[in-house]
Structure formats: structure tokens, C-alpha cells
Amino acid sequence: DSQDVKIFFARKGRIRRYKHGVNLKLCDLQAEYLTEELEISKNSIIIDVGANVGEFSKFWSNKGHRVVAFEPDLVEFKVLELNNPNDTNYNVGLWDTNDVLRFYLNNDSGDSSLLPESQNGDFIELEVKKLDDDNSFRLGVEVSASYSNLRFSVINIFSTK
């Protein structure tokens, strides 16, 4: 029931995403990412890389999963913390190396990215970290960027520190 779930967002233009209710939007997002095809046990930890305001995280957190979310944009990160206060949230960009990269901004759609394909010209320089080089992020996961569909995949969740 959409009365039970609330979502905060940072940009007014995003309100139209919820015209049919928050729960429906959260379920639609899962269908878009094909997560209904996955068998996820109750003990699994959900990793949300590029969490934006935390819609994906909120869905899984509401199902009782522990969620660890990473969002590099400070504005979206602050809203992520409002939407998912009981999750573990990090304001950092993840990549396969420690570096400073261009972060292409597309905040109205929630599609900001480190990947330059199909992005507008607006960008900021962003420090990114390799997941396993910082003990605070040591989760036993591998992160890989997929240039074909502009999404991150998180595989091989082993354990938490």
C-alpha cells in the first residue's frame, strides 16, 4: 500500500515518477533491473552501487534485507540517508581503481554516471575508490562496470567484516 511507504527526493522533476504510488514505482524498478528473477535468501546483503536517492535500497530494506549503498553525489546521498536511515550508506564513487574520474551529471533522471556514453556534457571531477582497498568498504565483493548497459554488477558476495 503506497500509504505505508514514503520516499524523499532532491529534485522536483522526479515527483512524476511516483504518480501511481511509491510501492508501484519501487516494484517497477525491480522489474526494470530483473531482480524478480533472482533467488535472494533472507541472510543476503544487498549492495546498491550508484544508489541515487535509494529507491532500489528501500525496496530490499523493506523486505528485511541488510543493504549497503554507495552514492557519490552529495545531494542524492543526503536524500538516500533520509530514505534508508537503517542501512549502511557511503558517500563515495566506486570503480576498479583508486582515481579521479569525470562524473557525468544527469540528476533529474537519476542516471548520473562515470561512464561517458549517452551523457550530456556536464560533469564534475570525482574521487573514486576501489572497493577492496579501504577496510571500511571490505565486503568481499567484486564490482565490475558494464559499458554495454551502463549498469554496475555486484557479484560474489562472500561475507562482511
Side-chain angles (χ1 to χ4, degrees):
D1 180 75
S2 62
Q3 301 290 350
D4 297 333
V5 179
K6 291 183 172 55
I7 195 97
F8 296 96
F9 47 92
R11 321 248 179 218
K12 282 195 290 187
R14 303 235 5 220
I15 194 167
R16 66 182 171 272
R17 294 171 57 112
Y18 308 102
K19 67 182 175 186
H20 299 294
V22 173
N23 276 343
L24 183 60
K25 178 58 187 168
L26 297 183
C27 290
D28 286 349
L29 189 60
Q30 300 311 307
E32 181 181 334
Y33 286 108
L34 305 175
T35 60
E36 69 271 1
E37 309 280 326
L38 302 174
E39 292 184 29
I40 300 175
S41 71
K42 279 291 185 189
N43 296 332
S44 295
I45 298 169
I46 306 299
I47 310 287
D48 189 355
V49 178
N52 199 270
V53 299
E55 296 154 315
F56 185 86
S57 298
K58 188 171 205 61
F59 177 88
W60 292 102
S61 186
N62 286 349
K63 289 192 166 293
H65 290 279
R66 181 170 167 229
V67 176
V68 179
F70 298 87
E71 172 51 46
D73 186 287
L74 184 59
V75 172
E76 267 65 36
F77 175 76
K78 288 179 180 182
V79 178
L80 168 68
E81 288 193 304
L82 289 173
N83 285 326
N84 301 297
N86 298 319
D87 293 338
T88 304
N89 303 308
Y90 294 102
N91 181 214
V92 66
L94 295 182
W95 201 245
D96 61 352
T97 60
N98 292 319
D99 207 341
V100 175
L101 300 174
R102 287 184 175 181
F103 183 59
Y104 296 90
L105 302 172
N106 198 351
N107 292 327
D108 288 336
S109 69
D111 291 327
S112 295
S113 178
L114 292 167
L115 306 176
E117 290 86 3
S118 72
Q119 298 296 320
N120 63 32
D122 296 336
F123 65 88
I124 60 170
E125 297 292 324
L126 179 73
E127 182 179 3
V128 294
K129 293 190 180 238
K130 187 174 179 182
L131 189 62
D132 62 357
D133 282 350
D134 184 325
N135 285 334
S136 65
F137 301 146
R138 192 172 304 283
L139 299 167
V141 303
E142 297 174 23
V143 177
S144 63
S146 170
Y147 285 85
S148 63
N149 62 10
L150 303 180
R151 298 180 202 265
F152 280 96
S153 303
V154 179
I155 54 175
N156 297 334
I157 299 175
F158 297 108
S159 62
T160 58
K161 186 173 179 185

